[in-house]
Amino acid sequence: MIPLLLLVATITALAAPRGRIGFALLMLAVFATVAGNIDNPDRIHYVDNFEGVRTDGGNASFEPGYQLLAYSASSLGLDYGAFHFVMTAVALLLIARTILDLCDQPGLAMFAYLCFPFIWDVTQVRNFYAMALILFSMRYLLVEQRASPAKYALTILLATMFHVTSAFYLLFLLARIRNRFVLWGMLALGAGAYFTLFSELVTSPLLAFIGDKIDVYTTTETSMVTKLSVGTFYAASLVMIWWAGRRIAGRGPAARGPAVMGVWAISGPLILNMNLIAGLSILLTLDNLDFIRLFRNIFLINCIFVINAIRSRRSGGMTLTLSFLLYLVVTFTGFVVVTSTSDIIGNAIENNAING
């Protein structure tokens, strides 16, 4: 049932990417897949934590915001399945609101989400909840008319209550630095600090409170093929964002074609700066592929910007859309099909309550 639902919803969304019906159907299919999942590599830990959160405090590595909600739900007599059902609904509503506010082709944007974050979100649910908040916060960072560094920072801090790695996105406040050379200088210092000081910081007693959380990410090594693949993916994404900004900026007031979301327009310079800063997460990913989640969490916002750029002019629309779809397929193949160490696709679409 789930594979058929996803297939029908995807075809409907891509057939009419500007329509709300296809978008809503695909959103419903995603909700059924995530909320209805009954078995994946991480689920047993979440179930055990939920069952023990009121007695022994649950899993000590889980963040306090998540634990507070789990404790509240458990106190109300809910089981883990019902709790996850509600949390998934809230997270997807935040993602849907972000897409509808920032993109006039919601069906295509939702397909972009389907190609990368979606499958991982079935398993890594705390990161999924945090990602929804991170995406929602982008209106306060990237949309000039809505810009509010304070609201952005508060939303990111809320996301850290579900996954501590969300603290990384506080660095995106630097995206508002207008002087590109100052920004590049700061990023160069950050990269230099990573290569010279990171291992010392990880083992420092001052950071012992997060030692258990990051130890698993800092004790492995990736292959040269993985490093090259990640580097190529990041470079391609960066070029795509740069091109999108140029296409939108060169549109001109007299150009034909749709508006770029009016008061919800994403600033080209800001999103480019954000992605330059996100390069620091790529350095982490070169050492451990698990850190790709830091870039994966902004994948949808990048795709929304590119979709808007394609739509900003009539010329080359079909060719550019097909090229963008190819980018999505390659991303799905590389970061979902090839690099996963378990059958995450099978776990997502087969182990579902709807399938019986």
Side-chain angles (χ1 to χ4, degrees):
M1 176 62 79
I2 288 294
L4 179 61
L5 180 59
L6 286 170
L7 178 61
V8 172
T10 298
I11 293 173
T12 305
L14 292 180
R18 296 188 66 187
R20 297 294 180 91
I21 295 179
F23 168 73
L25 184 59
L26 191 50
M27 182 65 71
L28 179 62
V30 167
F31 173 72
T33 305
V34 179
N37 184 263
I38 55 176
D39 188 28
N40 63 66
D42 287 359
R43 184 178 173 85
I44 184 62
H45 304 298
Y46 284 101
V47 172
D48 288 346
N49 171 77
F50 190 86
E51 293 176 349
V53 71
R54 284 198 296 162
T55 55
D56 59 12
N59 193 319
S61 69
F62 284 10
E63 288 75 5
Y66 176 86
Q67 293 294 64
L68 177 61
L69 291 179
Y71 180 88
S72 300
S74 178
S75 299
L76 291 173
L78 299 180
D79 61 12
Y80 173 74
F83 170 69
H84 182 47
F85 184 93
V86 174
M87 292 294 293
T88 299
V90 173
L92 287 177
L93 284 174
L94 289 174
I95 293 173
R97 187 70 267 166
T98 301
I99 292 174
L100 293 174
D101 281 346
L102 301 179
C103 187
D104 72 342
Q105 287 196 312
L108 184 55
M110 197 61 199
F111 177 71
Y113 169 76
L114 197 72
C115 287
F116 193 11
F118 162 61
I119 289 293
W120 288 105
D121 289 344
V122 175
T123 299
Q124 299 172 351
V125 296
R126 285 177 8 264
N127 184 81
F128 168 53
Y129 304 153
M131 182 193 70
L133 287 165
I134 292 163
L135 289 172
F136 189 79
S137 75
M138 290 298 162
R139 68 191 58 220
Y140 304 126
L141 178 73
L142 301 178
V143 180
E144 291 284 13
Q145 293 91 330
R146 311 282 175 173
S148 174
K151 289 181 179 179
Y152 174 78
L154 286 173
T155 309
I156 294 301
L157 289 175
L158 180 59
T160 65
M161 295 295 99
F162 293 92
H163 206 285
V164 69
T165 59
S166 302
F168 172 81
Y169 302 102
L170 291 173
L171 292 175
F172 286 178
L173 288 168
L174 298 176
R176 303 196 67 82
I177 295 177
R178 299 298 182 180
N179 190 311
R180 186 62 57 84
F181 292 105
V182 172
L183 178 62
W184 287 351
M186 295 180 71
L187 291 177
L189 288 174
Y194 171 77
F195 286 116
T196 58
L197 301 175
F198 183 72
S199 59
E200 285 76 10
L201 288 174
V202 168
T203 57
S204 169
L206 294 176
L207 297 181
F209 69 99
I210 62 170
D212 291 340
K213 291 182 179 295
I214 64 177
D215 180 66
V216 66
Y217 300 128
T218 57
T219 56
T220 59
E221 179 67 23
T222 57
S223 68
M224 184 57 64
V225 172
T226 299
K227 293 180 190 294
L228 290 174
S229 299
V230 170
T232 301
F233 170 65
Y234 174 65
S237 300
L238 205 59
V239 169
M240 192 170 65
I241 293 298
W242 172 83
W243 165 85
R246 299 270 294 186
R247 181 175 171 89
I248 291 175
R251 182 175 183 271
R256 300 179 63 190
V260 191
M261 298 307 292
V263 297
W264 290 106
I266 296 173
S267 167
L270 285 179
I271 196 171
L272 180 59
N273 285 351
M274 183 188 78
N275 277 271
L276 289 171
I277 297 167
L280 296 175
S281 73
I282 299 300
L283 293 179
L284 295 168
T285 305
L286 294 178
D287 286 331
N288 189 303
L289 195 57
D290 282 337
F291 278 111
I292 195 64
R293 74 177 66 198
L294 294 176
F295 196 73
R296 186 180 77 215
N297 288 342
I298 63 169
F299 180 79
L300 178 57
I301 205 73
N302 285 342
C303 288
I304 286 173
F305 185 62
V306 173
I307 292 169
N308 287 346
I310 294 172
R311 287 275 298 154
S312 68
R313 302 188 197 181
R314 297 188 187 278
S315 61
M318 181 58 70
T319 300
L320 292 172
T321 299
L322 291 175
S323 299
F324 176 64
L325 290 174
L326 178 61
Y327 166 79
L328 296 180
V329 170
V330 171
T331 300
F332 174 79
T333 302
F335 290 105
V336 179
V337 178
V338 175
T339 60
S340 59
T341 56
S342 61
D343 185 16
I344 59 172
I345 299 177
N347 286 326
I349 65 177
E350 294 174 7
N351 302 325
N352 196 283
I354 292 180
N355 294 334

